[in-house]
Amino acid sequence: MGQGKYTAHIAVVASAVGLSLAVWGAAALMDNEAAAGMGGAPTSQSPDAKPGAPARVAPRKVPESIAHAAEAGGSAVNITIDDGPDPRWTPQMLDILKQNDVKAVFCMVGPMAKAHPEIVKRVVAEGHRLCDHSVSHDTTMDKKPFAYQKQEILDAKKMIDDASGGARIDYYRAPGGAFTPASRHLAAGLGMRPLGWNVDTKDFEQPGTASIVNTVKNELSNGPTILFHDGGGDRSQSVAALRQVLPWLKENGHTFSFPVVTTP
């Protein structure tokens, strides 16, 4: 994750997208929603909302702690997929997930979601969950001022929200795990549970399909949340590994779940 070339690539895309004053206006609106209350009921549209626009959903109250556990507990595992959506690799991963009847969390980089709304909508339509993975994929976010972190989180949320048509974004995953208490507080206030991982497949480094598969097998005892990638470069090894890992997990008695969002 977070290699220099990829960070530079995302930075260029983000620059092309632009961070307008309209985005900051949306960010302020989301802050107000978070401060007003954490109910889960749909909110009514404002009088000047565009006809046919999806009703926005008020954020749920979620913990600020970083989630790792599976909602289903037991032997369930969570498949999480970062850095897309990518028009080449994400559809292939979606096909594999569908063939195996598995749902996953897609942690999306804002500009990629904005560039490929049709894939974002497919992710939602097929029952997967969305996760905010920032705008620039800056793995040094935790060393930057909070204003910068806030912009990265809120602008990406706006891009993913627009691309999906208003679907709920359940999680926020800091690039490279670069969380801060302030960024976790902000994300949780917007109903996005901070999301960690237990098994880093190292697929971003392209170590070979066999290595990725073996990492899952050898490190699953660390916990249930497994990290793959569908963006940031050639993900052919990731696709091949996912195709092998899902049946292996089933054969070894594992079921599939989502990471916990709320606290019982």
Side-chain angles (χ1 to χ4, degrees), residues 1 10 27 29-30 44 52 67 75 82 117 131 148 165-166 182 192 199 202 221 231:
M1 295 178 61
I10 289 298
L29 176 59
M30 286 187 287
S44 59
S75 62
D82 286 16
C131 171
Y148 172 83
M192 300 187 298
V199 180
K202 302 293 194 300
S221 59

Side-chain angles (χ1 to χ4, degrees), residues 53 67 70-71 89 107 127 136 140 142 145 157 161 196 198 212 227 248 258 263:
E71 285 183 341
W89 309 114
C107 298
S136 303
T140 66
D142 55 336
K157 184 179 187 302
D161 188 62
N198 303 109
I212 297 169
L227 171 62
W248 178 86
F258 290 114
T263 302

Side-chain angles (χ1 to χ4, degrees), residues 32-86:
N32 289 338
E33 289 177 346
M38 300 296 183
T43 58
S44 59
Q45 292 182 323
S46 61
D48 56 351
K50 294 181 180 180
R56 300 304 176 185
V57 179
R60 293 183 289 178
K61 185 174 182 179
V62 303
E64 297 177 16
S65 57
I66 299 173
H68 296 90
E71 285 183 341
S75 62
V77 298
N78 310 312
I79 303 298
T80 65
I81 304 174
D82 286 16
D83 299 355
D86 181 278

Side-chain angles (χ1 to χ4, degrees), residues 94 102-106 121-130 258:
L94 285 167
V102 173
K103 307 303 181 187
V105 176
F106 284 82
K121 289 180 173 65
R122 179 183 170 185
V123 166
V124 174
E126 294 185 3
H128 307 288
R129 289 186 183 178
L130 299 176
F258 290 114

Side-chain angles (χ1 to χ4, degrees), residues 226-245:
I226 306 171
L227 171 62
F228 285 94
H229 293 84
D230 63 342
D234 184 345
R235 301 274 72 90
S236 56
Q237 294 178 9
S238 303
V239 170
L242 186 68
R243 185 175 287 114
Q244 295 181 34
V245 162

